[in-house]
Amino acid sequence: MKRILFLILIVSLFGTMAFANGGSDTAAADNTIVVGVSFSDYSTDRWPREAALLTDLGQKAGVQVITQVANQDPKLQNDQIENMILQGADVLIIIAQDGDAAASAVDAAAAEGIPTIAYDRLIKSSNLSAYLSFDNVEVGRAQGRGVTSIVDSGNFVMLGGSPTDNNATLFRQGQMEVVQPLVDSGKVTIVADQWVENWDPANALKNMENILTAQSNNVDAVVASNDGTALGALQAMKAQGLAGKVPISGQDATLAGCKSIVEGELTMTVFKDVRKLSPMAMDMAIALAKGETVPGLTDFTLAQLTLDDTLKGSVPCLFLDVVQVDADNLYDEVILTGFQPYDEVYRDIPEGDRPPRP
Ligand code: BGC
């Protein structure tokens, strides 16, 4: 509490100083723009990488970047955001743990005139200045296609992402666009339809163990929603001799995911080039902090973005393309583009069986 009072004092002091210097709305003493970046967690590989990217981009652009990570706790995330506002953040980039809970943080920031960008994951508030992400429905379609191009009949397991992440809903929407016609024609039976709490690989492992037990291992394909959860499920499948036999999808082109693909266990992943998303978000954050309008965004209704017709309002959005990756194009898409390192991905592949070193 003492710290908060101290911060309030500092913030109001700086506010007065900024005002005395000509009415700038930034709380930083020297008028440097402060960008607050709030992460849900660093458990999935991409987030620490993007934290480093965003910090580096901010430094190069001459702004101050404050990052916080909420360890998958939505309340802690909102507290941290409130704190960043007290520390003088001029603009916020949020990777929400819970798209519903974070809406109150966005609304509170908006009430103070602080713009917010929902980064990768939607926050269900029409007070967002922008939502920047990838084509998440296409991610799901790619996962569906990746699995059904190997097996298009029999017993399917649907393993969704975190139920508090709106992306998980969009991935599922895309997956079902591919899988539902096969269900309708009677070729596929969905024997388990589950969501993995917190996207945690350990939860995916448990889910898959239980599913395999319940189905007496009679599972023909697994539509999993990212590499982390797929690799968790693969551990359970491996224990039953099913790894490499039953197709399973992933997402993110993580190092471990790519390694598993070249070793013949994970069937596919979806490459989302976060090296493109981060600069867009930082440029946009800086423009918003300066009060500039940001071009290139298209309005989508919250109802469209969430499949929930009860939600009102719309959000300016931008979605980047994604690439479906399997053993055939991994080298071109992921290695040659420098997204994952050759030596690590092929570490356990005998020298003679590897593609040429780039
Ligand atoms: C992201 C995925 C990521 C998952 C778990 C999703 O919102 O879009 O890239 O694998 O969260 O962190």
Side-chain angles (χ1 to χ4, degrees):
M1 190 61 197
K2 264 195 194 140
R3 223 179 127 229
I4 292 181
L5 285 175
F6 176 70
L7 280 169
I8 292 172
L9 189 73
I10 297 286
V11 167
S12 43
L13 190 67
F14 282 165
T16 319
M17 281 166 62
F19 184 72
N21 284 339
S24 160
D25 61 355
T26 169
D30 58 358
N31 279 349
T32 304
I33 290 172
V34 180
V35 182
V37 190
S38 167
F39 283 91
S40 59
D41 64 278
Y42 284 162
S43 313
T44 300
D45 287 24
R46 60 172 291 183
W47 305 127
R49 182 176 187 161
E50 280 155 278
L53 263 172
L54 287 163
T55 305
D56 189 49
L57 288 160
Q59 266 163 13
K60 287 191 176 125
V63 303
Q64 186 189 337
V65 180
I66 318 172
T67 51
Q68 296 260 273
V69 57
N71 304 327
Q72 289 169 326
D73 178 342
K75 181 168 180 321
L76 178 61
Q77 183 162 40
N78 283 0
D79 290 348
Q80 289 176 336
I81 294 169
E82 198 182 310
N83 232 307
M84 290 198 272
I85 295 175
L86 285 175
Q87 286 181 57
D90 297 296
V91 58
L92 297 164
I93 297 175
I94 303 178
I95 297 90
Q97 166 65 20
D98 181 322
D100 288 292
S104 55
V106 172
D107 296 344
E112 309 238 1
I114 298 167
T116 306
I117 298 171
Y119 183 97
D120 193 74
R121 298 176 176 167
L122 180 70
I123 300 169
K124 298 176 189 171
S125 166
S126 54
N127 276 321
L128 284 174
S129 297
Y131 170 39
L132 300 186
S133 188
F134 292 90
D135 183 343
N136 293 309
V137 179
E138 180 56 22
V139 169
R141 286 189 207 108
Q143 291 165 330
R145 286 194 303 265
V147 166
T148 57
S149 65
I150 310 289
V151 170
D152 68 355
S153 62
N155 291 342
F156 273 46
V157 171
M158 307 299 296
L159 223 44
S162 163
T164 64
D165 178 355
N166 189 64
N167 281 347
T169 310
L170 301 176
F171 302 148
R172 177 58 63 85
Q173 183 192 347
Q175 293 161 359
M176 291 316 289
E177 282 181 27
V178 178
V179 174
Q180 191 61 48
L182 298 170
V183 174
D184 294 343
S185 68
K187 285 178 86 176
V188 162
T189 306
I190 296 178
V191 293
D193 180 349
Q194 300 188 3
W195 302 87
V196 179
E197 204 73 35
N198 282 340
W199 289 100
D200 186 343
N203 290 338
L205 165 63
K206 270 185 251 144
N207 287 8
M208 199 62 205
E209 275 173 354
N210 292 338
I211 293 166
L212 290 175
T213 306
Q215 299 303 321
S216 313
N217 287 353
N218 234 324
V219 162
D220 299 296
V222 182
V223 182
S225 295
N226 77 349
D227 286 3
T229 54
L231 296 181
L234 264 168
Q235 271 189 51
M237 290 158 72
K238 204 171 201 152
Q240 301 304 316
L242 298 176
K245 295 195 178 128
V246 170
I248 175 165
S249 56
Q251 172 186 191
D252 290 334
T254 58
L255 175 55
C258 290
K259 192 166 175 297
S260 179
I261 290 178
V262 302
E263 289 166 13
E265 294 195 338
L266 184 65
T267 308
M268 61 84 65
T269 188
V270 183
F271 172 36
K272 305 193 297 188
D273 201 342
V274 298
R275 297 169 303 182
K276 292 182 182 153
L277 190 66
S278 291
M280 274 180 32
M282 189 48 73
D283 287 351
M284 196 169 286
I286 295 171
L288 287 168
K290 289 181 179 162
E292 296 169 4
T293 45
V294 220
L297 299 173
T298 309
D299 274 0
F300 281 77
T301 64
L302 281 173
Q304 277 175 305
L305 294 168
T306 57
L307 312 182
D308 176 354
D309 286 339
T310 63
L311 291 181
K312 302 278 169 268
S314 58
V315 176
C317 300
L318 201 151
F319 302 115
L320 296 178
D321 287 343
V322 302
V323 184
Q324 183 175 337
V325 167
D326 60 16
D328 292 337
N329 64 348
L330 188 142
Y331 179 76
D332 286 342
E333 297 291 349
V334 182
I335 305 294
L336 291 184
T337 61
F339 191 70
Q340 295 297 355
Y342 173 91
D343 285 311
E344 291 298 314
V345 170
Y346 295 100
R347 193 177 61 216
D348 293 328
I349 302 289
E351 292 266 355
D353 297 338
R354 295 181 190 179
R357 182 180 301 277

